[in-house]
Amino acid sequence: SVPRAAYTWVTRGVRDHLLSKGITTPLVTTNRINDPTVAEKALQDGHADMVSMARPFLADPDFVQKAKDGKADQINMCIGCNQACLDHVFKGKISSCLVNPMACHETTRALKPATTPKKVAVIGAGPGGLWCAFKLAERGHQVTLFEKSGEIGGQFNIAKRIPGKEEFYSSIKYWTKMLDTHRDNLTLKLNTTATVETLDGFDEVVVATGCMPRPKRNSDIDGVEGAQNVATYLDVITGKTKIDPNANVVIIGAGGIGHDTAVFLTHKHNQTIQEYCKTWGIDETLTTPGFTKKPDPTASGDGSHRKIVMLQRTEGKMGAKLGATTGWIHRNALKLHKVGQMTGVKYDKVSDTELIVTQAKSGKSSTLPFTTLVLCHGQVSVNNLVKPLQEKFGEGKVHVIGGAKNPSELDAKRAILEGHLVAQKM
């Protein structure tokens, strides 16, 4: 949610002050600079003498060389998610990178040329399927990548629609470039649904078909299946379900998807640095104590006046499983936009316009009126091909990764890593 180069204006102020005193000590700027063009502009505009980076080198260790060679379009950009780098550090785990699982594991996850190149089908061009296909192709296998939709990216095409996650566009752009780079060993078939019959002639298959929101018919909440005005998070984020700017919205589920949905319904896209500073109360004049002032959430708001309440079954902190270094940001962003929160809730019954809940601790019952009820309470794997493919290809020839294997939390970090490990071992 932090814009690129959000704090270089600070170092410019310091640099200008130092220069006015005749001090020419070089000054370094840093934070959320993940693109060589952004770094170059900071230098040209006099914001600093040097640029420091850390996370971008986890995403792509060849960042500097690619920039030097005029191949910036081949840089695997850091998306600023923190999920495999800082979140790992805070948990005492080895750091890595969501978009590059090789980071800090260069020896244990190294790829070697295939001794016996195979014909491999990868089903699903989401993050895990794409990464697996690239690495299989790098090893010398002949790969065909099947994607039933007309675009690559899978769940990243949903994530990129969330305000503050615009960086996900850069991953899709990079993957598109990699498809061209690997074209000798990798064929992409868009708008193509793979079937057991169409996979004749392949040696092995990788199933990376992902997951989908839990259907209304599978919900364990009484009344959901037949109720009107009930939508999944996917319906809302893709625009299939339109939500009025003055609507009453109840969101069931307060994990990452629930928080993203609430952000989608309250925030504007592509915040400027100035809007970011106003939202979080950062004093750009650097004259107030602590350089802070009263936050102004209207600076990041989408102009709507929706009344939103998020519900969570478990007791304790809302969104407790969010990222160690980013969860507090998501919670506070929604608090600034006055999104209501209820934890320890039992869902009793849904009608077309109301949800009846009970507080687990107190036993108190409440009726929550809504214009739209949004379901963010789980996913199911899209894995209907797995069993028939196993019967066709035999044991050890069908590999299931990502959401098709485990649908919890839409975990791109796990999907990409699983894709890498399958490619490494095949």
Side-chain angles (χ1 to χ4, degrees):
S1 60
V2 181
R4 289 183 176 182
Y7 295 104
T8 63
W9 58 272
V10 178
T11 49
R12 175 167 187 169
V14 174
R15 185 172 184 267
D16 289 347
H17 176 75
L18 292 176
L19 290 175
S20 72
K21 303 296 183 181
I23 301 172
T24 58
T25 303
L27 194 66
V28 181
T29 194
T30 189
N31 196 265
R32 282 292 287 120
I33 300 173
N34 64 345
D35 185 321
T37 58
V38 175
E40 192 63 41
K41 189 175 189 306
L43 298 175
Q44 290 179 350
D45 291 349
H47 288 207
D49 301 288
M50 299 174 67
V51 172
S52 170
M53 300 181 193
R55 292 177 297 174
F57 295 150
L58 292 174
D60 195 330
D62 298 320
F63 182 105
V64 173
Q65 190 63 49
K66 289 177 180 179
K68 181 180 178 181
D69 293 343
K71 297 179 179 179
D73 60 341
Q74 296 183 28
I75 293 175
N76 191 7
M77 296 284 187
C78 165
I79 59 175
C81 69
N82 286 2
Q83 290 182 39
C85 53
L86 292 175
D87 283 358
H88 277 206
V89 171
F90 274 67
K91 294 176 182 177
K93 298 170 63 177
I94 296 175
S95 180
S96 189
C97 179
L98 182 149
V99 298
N100 176 27
M102 283 282 288
C104 304
H105 298 271
E106 290 81 2
T107 56
T108 57
R109 296 175 185 170
L111 301 173
K112 298 178 180 180
T115 54
T116 305
K118 299 179 179 180
K119 288 187 66 178
V120 185
V122 178
I123 309 173
L130 282 163
W131 191 265
C132 186
F134 296 150
K135 299 307 162 183
L136 286 168
E138 286 179 21
R139 294 192 60 216
H141 295 295
Q142 290 296 320
V143 183
T144 302
L145 178 58
F146 295 87
E147 171 53 47
K148 69 176 182 178
S149 74
E151 60 183 356
I152 67 167
Q155 296 290 351
F156 268 39
N157 288 307
I158 307 305
K160 71 185 184 184
R161 298 170 184 250
I162 307 301
K165 291 192 172 182
E166 292 86 359
E167 285 289 1
F168 285 66
Y169 279 98
S170 64
S171 290
I172 296 173
K173 183 179 178 181
Y174 168 74
W175 293 333
T176 301
K177 183 66 178 179
M178 289 302 98
L179 285 168
D180 181 61
T181 302
H182 294 89
R183 62 183 179 275
D184 290 342
N185 289 68
L186 174 57
T187 301
L188 171 65
K189 292 190 175 184
L190 294 175
N191 300 305
T192 304
T193 299
T195 65
V196 175
E197 293 73 26
T198 60
L199 297 179
D200 287 339
F202 289 97
D203 299 308
E204 300 195 29
V205 180
V206 179
V207 180
T209 43
C211 55
M212 59 183 288
R214 181 189 297 179
K216 290 168 62 175
R217 65 179 180 276
N218 288 0
S219 177
D220 58 356
I221 303 172
D222 185 23
V224 163
E225 183 173 356
Q228 301 296 311
N229 305 315
V230 177
T232 69
Y233 65 85
L234 195 59
D235 295 331
V236 173
I237 295 172
T238 60
K240 180 179 178 181
T241 296
K242 305 291 184 182
I243 297 186
D244 187 86
N246 298 303
N248 281 348
V249 182
V250 174
I251 297 175
I252 291 181
I257 296 168
H259 278 76
D260 278 353
T261 302
V263 168
F264 180 80
L265 293 172
T266 53
H267 286 63
K268 68 189 297 184
H269 287 87
N270 297 306
Q271 282 184 58
T272 65
I273 293 173
Q274 290 72 31
E275 289 167 340
Y276 166 78
C277 289
K278 287 181 180 178
T279 296
W280 292 100
I282 300 169
D283 177 20
E284 291 183 88
T285 67
L286 301 180
T287 57
T288 59
F291 309 138
T292 60
K293 58 184 180 180
K294 184 178 180 180
D296 179 9
T298 61
S300 60
D302 63 358
S304 68
H305 300 282
R306 299 182 181 103
K307 183 180 178 181
I308 301 174
V309 178
M310 295 178 66
L311 307 177
Q312 177 175 291
R313 275 192 170 116
T314 56
E315 295 281 358
K317 184 166 58 177
M318 181 73 75
K321 293 183 180 180
L322 297 176
T325 59
T326 56
W328 67 274
I329 301 171
H330 299 311
R331 284 187 287 269
N332 281 314
L334 297 182
K335 184 178 179 181
L336 283 173
H337 285 269
K338 301 187 184 306
V339 173
Q341 300 180 349
M342 294 178 65
T343 61
V345 172
K346 178 178 177 291
Y347 311 123
D348 295 325
K349 189 174 181 59
V350 176
S351 70
D352 291 345
T353 58
E354 293 179 339
L355 170 64
I356 300 174
V357 301
T358 300
Q359 293 285 159
K361 274 190 174 180
S362 66
K364 179 182 177 182
S365 180
S366 302
T367 299
L368 305 176
F370 61 78
T371 310
T372 304
L373 178 69
V374 185
L375 302 177
C376 304
H377 68 326
Q379 297 76 237
V380 295
S381 294
V382 179
N383 57 10
N384 56 299
L385 276 177
V386 173
K387 187 174 180 179
L389 286 175
Q390 289 173 337
E391 293 173 351
K392 178 184 179 73
F393 286 90
E395 186 177 352
K397 303 296 184 181
V398 178
H399 313 272
V400 188
I401 65 172
K405 181 179 180 180
N406 180 351
S408 63
E409 294 298 326
L410 294 179
D411 193 343
K413 179 182 71 172
R414 177 173 49 80
I416 293 173
L417 173 57
E418 289 176 353
H420 184 94
L421 295 178
V422 166
Q424 179 190 31
K425 296 174 182 178
M426 188 178 293

